[in-house]
Amino acid sequence: PRAALFISTGVLVLTLVTIGLVLGPQLIAQQKAEQTYDFLWSLPVPRTTAALAWVTTNLILGLPGMAVALAVALARYDLNLHLTPAVVPAVLLTLFTGTMLGYALAHALGNPMLIAVLSQLTIFLILGFSPINFPADQLPGWLAALHRWLPLAPMADTVRAALTVGVVENVTRSYLVLGAWAVLSVGATAVVLARRR
């Protein structure tokens, strides 16, 4: 039951993270490869508007996937979920942070092939070595400790805490770490976009 709970709640986070950290950078890499990137950034649209539009698009793309994943998990496993209002800030903060991190990375790198390779490597690392679909205590001690400061485990913890009772301890710390990553990602995005012509 615990493994089913981790997988069922973790797949919701994977849906949000994959869109922001993988799909977004790959689309930007494609724009750079097709040489439409500079044209799109020359349009008279504020850069903050473009960034917020991408966050909104990712939210529209991510919510149906989350709903389907949750419905399949409920149909497949006999889960005892407790949906709380905290799911709204948890989902929004997770999506926003993941999107801004991917956005900053994709705009910072000039080589489209490098962007594509890094986004593929990111999904491999997320699936295999981050405690989203499994508890952090299954990782080596040093990697579990590292994930306490990286954004992926706090993303999973905040969403999981909003859907379960007693599975996640000290969710306040997860919100603080995730909030710090959100601020850092916005700052990095602002710096990268300010450098654009």
Side-chain angles (χ1 to χ4, degrees), residues 123-134:
I123 195 64
F124 171 73
L125 294 174
I126 289 170
L127 289 173
F129 301 101
S130 63
I132 294 177
N133 283 337
F134 55 86

Side-chain angles (χ1 to χ4, degrees), residues 102-147:
Y103 202 72
L105 173 74
H107 287 290
L109 300 173
N111 186 333
M113 185 63 77
L114 182 60
I115 296 169
V117 167
L118 285 178
S119 64
Q120 291 300 317
L121 180 63
T122 300
I123 195 64
F124 171 73
L125 294 174
I126 289 170
L127 289 173
F129 301 101
S130 63
I132 294 177
N133 283 337
F134 55 86
D137 58 14
Q138 293 182 2
L139 292 171
W142 66 270
L143 188 53
L146 179 63
H147 272 294

Side-chain angles (χ1 to χ4, degrees), residues 34-134:
E34 294 173 351
Q35 298 181 346
T36 59
Y37 179 79
D38 288 327
F39 169 74
L40 292 172
W41 281 100
S42 69
L43 296 174
V45 176
R47 293 174 181 177
T48 54
T49 302
L52 291 176
W54 186 241
V55 171
T56 304
T57 301
N58 286 352
L59 184 64
I60 293 168
L61 292 172
L63 288 180
M66 282 184 59
V68 169
L70 189 59
V72 169
L74 289 172
R76 173 65 178 93
Y77 304 109
D78 186 24
L79 297 177
N80 190 14
L81 295 180
H82 299 279
L83 185 65
T84 66
V87 75
V88 174
V91 165
L92 291 178
L93 189 57
T94 296
L95 178 90
F96 181 79
T97 304
T99 299
M100 287 294 100
L101 285 171
Y103 202 72
L105 173 74
H107 287 290
L109 300 173
N111 186 333
M113 185 63 77
L114 182 60
I115 296 169
V117 167
L118 285 178
S119 64
Q120 291 300 317
L121 180 63
T122 300
I123 195 64
F124 171 73
L125 294 174
I126 289 170
L127 289 173
F129 301 101
S130 63
I132 294 177
N133 283 337
F134 55 86

